[in-house]
């Protein structure tokens, strides 16, 4: 797109008189009713570039320290995030993946070409057993993305049997032969991925029928309950959602949605680290637009499912930039700056707000691909600013979302405007409140006053994530350019308000009791 399109104007809410830097948040602590589904903090791992191979899995004989083939440094970092759910094996890869190639002795596993991602040879050394064991180590729910595009109904049905059957069934016995006596638990089953595109270029009507057919044969063995997720729309494709809700309805438990913060699908997507203020604001405007997109999909779902039985599953979201110079063009390896941290913070604040309908979300992707938590290079590993946002937000998982009103000045890009202050609040079982708050203004500090209405605050602890510049990022050589530190700018006033001095371009989490 032309640069002129991104001409930015900064205005405060009072452009005519003096600009105000004071914002007000009213938290209705007594009105919270919806639990923030912990699965909103889900992750996604695809056989793409070095996400699995090199990023998570190095094999037992690797010189990189590992536990049964999984690299120790990555495991340790991921455990700290308390990941609730992990989606695998794709993405586009899922609709070309034949699970039987990824079981049994590794030297006998057939190889395949990863046509979607760089045409590299996939040796299938990371397969079903390796994935389910990883989920056990991380303590997360597995979310399997099934092959509808190029697979068969029988193949998907047998995969579910292999994983979950405990009886004397052919697939359970095959699993036993491969060293796993007990079945695993499988809750989340995706029936295809992007079936309108890389998952088969289907129409919504045709896919609806396929969904009905495939899902019929995915059985619930021995008490295992499946939550079946239909392949959903890409961003503004409301017709896909409408057709699926009409044709499939209650046969699905969840319907997915993909929304990337991306400039477009053709041509350059822009550098992950070399960008100006205009591009920064454009990015956050595009990121914030997800709220409008969510509202529109949700209103269609509300029409067909007023009792809210079908969950919206945003199983791919995040930033998408040009791959890092020198890296393989098919590997989607990108750096991750303070700007990405804002996209994570703002998006998660929005997801929390719509938790009544949003049952899960999976940022793309966990390691070395797109908006990753972690980057690796050989034996080196670095945590990204996005990782720290997930760490600061993790106590929202399973807490009650607290409704709020925010008054804030506005940031404007040529097409979109959005509030400089974004926030979310939740209350846990012990009555502790977590507030996550971002000041996206790259230049101006904000004074924020928080009114808790009925809640009495006696203590506040804070953490802040900020950086020298909006394009600061962590490298293997300098891993601490963007890291969280203690935040001391919150004070409880005599009247019970919490007053916070929020520096420009910063993300804050506050724990209150
Ligand atoms: O996350 C990368 C790719 O983006 C996924 O494979 C696909 O589903 C989407 O288009």
């Amino acid at each position: 797109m032309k640069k002129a399109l991104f001409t930015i104007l900064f205005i405060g809410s009072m452009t005519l008189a003096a600009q105000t830097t004071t914002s007000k948040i009213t938290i209705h602590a007594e009105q919270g009713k919806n639990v923030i589904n912990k699965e909103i903090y889900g992750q996604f791992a695809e056989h793409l570039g070095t996400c699995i191979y090199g990023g998570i899995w190095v094999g037992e004989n690797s010189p990189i320290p590992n536990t049964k083939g999984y690299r120790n440094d990555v495991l340790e970092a991921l455990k700290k995030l308390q990941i609730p759910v992990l989606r695998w094996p794709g993405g586009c890869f899922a609709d070309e993946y034949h699970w039987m190639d990824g079981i049994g002795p590794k030297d006998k596993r057939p190889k395949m070409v990863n046509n979607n991602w760089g045409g590299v040879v996939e040796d299938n050394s990371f397969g079903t057993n390796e994935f389910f064991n990883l989920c056990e180590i991380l303590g997360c729910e597995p979310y399997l993305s099934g092959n509808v595009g190029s697979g068969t109904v029988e193949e998907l049905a047998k995969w579910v049997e292999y994983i979950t059957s405990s009886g004397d069934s052919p697939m359970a016995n095959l699993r036993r032969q491969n060293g796993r006596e007990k079945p695993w638990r499988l809750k989340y089953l995706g029936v295809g991925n992007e079936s309108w595109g890389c998952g088969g270029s289907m129409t919504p009507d045709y896919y609806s029928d396929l969904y009905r057919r495939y899902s019929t044969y995915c059985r619930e063995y021995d008490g295992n309950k499946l939550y079946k997720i239909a392949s959903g729309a890409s961003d503004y494709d409301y017709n896909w959602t409408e057709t699926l809700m009409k044709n499939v309805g209650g046969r699905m438990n969840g319907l997915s949605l993909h929304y990337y913060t991306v400039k477009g699908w053709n041509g350059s997507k822009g550098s992950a680290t070399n960008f100006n203020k205009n591009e920064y604001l454009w990015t956050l405007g595009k990121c914030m637009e997800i709220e409008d997109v969510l509202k529109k999909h949700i209103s269609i779902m509300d029409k067909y499912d007023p009792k809210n039985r079908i969950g919206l599953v945003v199983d791919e979201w995040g930033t998408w930039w040009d791959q890092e110079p020198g890296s393989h063009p098919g590997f989607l390896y990108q750096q991750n700056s303070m700007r990405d941290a804002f996209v994570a913070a703002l998006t998660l604040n929005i997801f929390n707000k719509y938790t009544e309908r949003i049952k899960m979300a999976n940022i793309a992707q966990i390691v070395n691909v797109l908006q990753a938590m972690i980057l690796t290079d050989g034996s080196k590993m670095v945590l990204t600013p996005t990782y720290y946002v997930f760490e600061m937000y993790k106590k929202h998982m399973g807490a009650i979302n607290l409704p709020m009103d925010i008054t804030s000045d506005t940031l404007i890009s040529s097409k979109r405007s959005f509030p400089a202050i974004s926030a979310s609040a939740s209350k846990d079982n012990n009555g502790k409140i977590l507030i996550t708050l971002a000041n996206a203004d790259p230049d101006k500090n904000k004074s924020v006053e928080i009114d808790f209405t009925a809640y009495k605050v006696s203590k506040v602890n804070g953490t802040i994530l900020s950086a020298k510049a909006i394009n600061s990022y962590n490298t293997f050589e300098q891993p601490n350019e963007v890291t969280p530190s203690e935040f001391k700018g919150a004070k409880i006033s005599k009247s019970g308000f919490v007053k916070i001095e929020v520096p420009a371009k910063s993300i804050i989490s506050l724990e209150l009791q």
Side-chain angles (χ1 to χ4, degrees), residues 44 172 207 282 472 474 478:
F44 170 33
Y207 171 73
W282 181 88
S472 296
N474 297 331
Q478 290 183 299

Side-chain angles (χ1 to χ4, degrees), residues 262-325:
V262 61
K263 273 188 184 168
W265 298 110
N266 301 315
S268 169
K269 296 178 173 58
S271 162
T273 50
N274 188 9
F275 55 87
N276 60 30
K277 198 154 70 177
N278 291 355
E279 291 169 301
Y280 164 79
L281 286 175
W282 181 88
T283 303
L284 298 198
K286 168 77 179 168
C287 148
M288 293 291 275
E289 194 167 271
I290 197 174
E291 180 161 11
D292 185 50
V293 171
L294 288 170
K295 278 194 210 156
K296 288 186 173 135
H297 286 286
I298 289 172
S299 79
I300 297 167
M301 295 179 81
D302 287 347
K303 187 168 76 179
Y304 291 93
D305 175 34
K307 296 215 166 119
N308 205 6
R309 295 201 168 110
I310 303 170
L312 183 59
V313 175
V314 191
D315 56 14
E316 290 186 29
W317 67 274
T319 56
W320 195 318
W321 311 118
D322 289 340
Q323 74 274 357
E324 279 304 291

Side-chain angles (χ1 to χ4, degrees), residues 44 46 48 91-92 117 193-194 258 260 316 320 365 370:
F44 170 33
E46 179 164 10
L48 195 179
C92 296
W117 306 119
N193 167 73
E194 297 196 348
H258 290 180
Y260 282 100
E316 290 186 29
W320 195 318
Q365 300 191 6
L370 300 177

